[in-house]
Amino acid sequence: GGLIEGSPLPNNGACKHYRHSYRWLRFPCCGQRFACDICHEEAVPDGHEAAWATRMVCGYCSREQRVDKACKYCGKKLATSAAQPSGRNTRFWEGGKGCRDAKMLDRRDAHKYRNSKAKTKSAKASRVGPKPWSGGAG
């Protein structure tokens, strides 16, 4: 079946490999449209290597255009990054960055100086000597 401009693609263009990518890519190696490079590799009968896609079809309005993060016709966001799979900028633990901004933490918060060069190290052992029960510098 052909695409009808103005109507959405099946699953808005998403596939089982990339659920938050709402577009189909046109691969210049064979001229066919697939949701992603993995779908291309699974579907081509001759097993040729996928060439870098330069055109895409929007998952919301089915219009073909140059590859971009958003559709130039309907304005919807089509692709997200692996660091932000939901497509939203959140301050939670997505991508391993965490939500604590060390610059904004209070100076008394122990997490502010964790793994920091500004962290102070006690010099008490050099002044008064090691603890007698520990056997080393304390």
Side-chain angles (χ1 to χ4, degrees):
L3 299 178
I4 302 165
E5 284 193 2
S7 63
L9 294 173
N11 295 332
N12 286 339
C15 69
K16 64 183 178 182
H17 308 109
Y18 299 99
R19 294 180 326 209
H20 297 286
S21 179
Y22 303 109
R23 63 186 178 186
W24 283 357
L25 302 168
R26 182 179 292 281
F27 290 89
C29 52
C30 56
Q32 295 181 332
R33 294 180 300 251
F34 296 99
C36 73
D37 56 331
I38 302 169
C39 291
H40 173 275
E41 289 177 15
E42 290 175 353
V44 292
D46 61 354
H48 66 268
E49 192 71 27
W52 196 262
T54 56
R55 309 275 303 157
M56 70 175 187
V57 178
C58 173
Y60 296 101
C61 68
S62 298
R63 290 188 173 94
E64 190 164 331
Q65 58 201 285
R66 193 172 50 84
V67 172
D68 206 352
K69 289 184 179 180
C71 177
K72 70 177 184 179
Y73 298 103
C74 67
K76 299 246 187 188
K77 188 175 179 182
L78 304 176
T80 60
S81 67
Q84 296 170 343
S86 63
R88 298 184 306 269
N89 281 329
T90 62
R91 295 196 45 144
F92 201 61
W93 291 97
E94 292 180 4
K97 294 177 191 155
C99 56
R100 284 195 170 114
D101 183 4
K103 292 180 199 124
M104 301 299 290
L105 290 175
D106 188 79
R107 65 181 174 84
R108 293 168 295 202
D109 192 331
H111 294 98
K112 181 170 182 125
Y113 301 108
R114 180 174 282 165
N115 298 327
S116 167
K117 295 197 185 338
K119 188 175 182 179
T120 58
K121 189 170 181 182
S122 175
K124 183 177 178 184
S126 65
R127 288 194 315 268
V128 297
K131 298 175 186 171
W133 60 86
S134 68

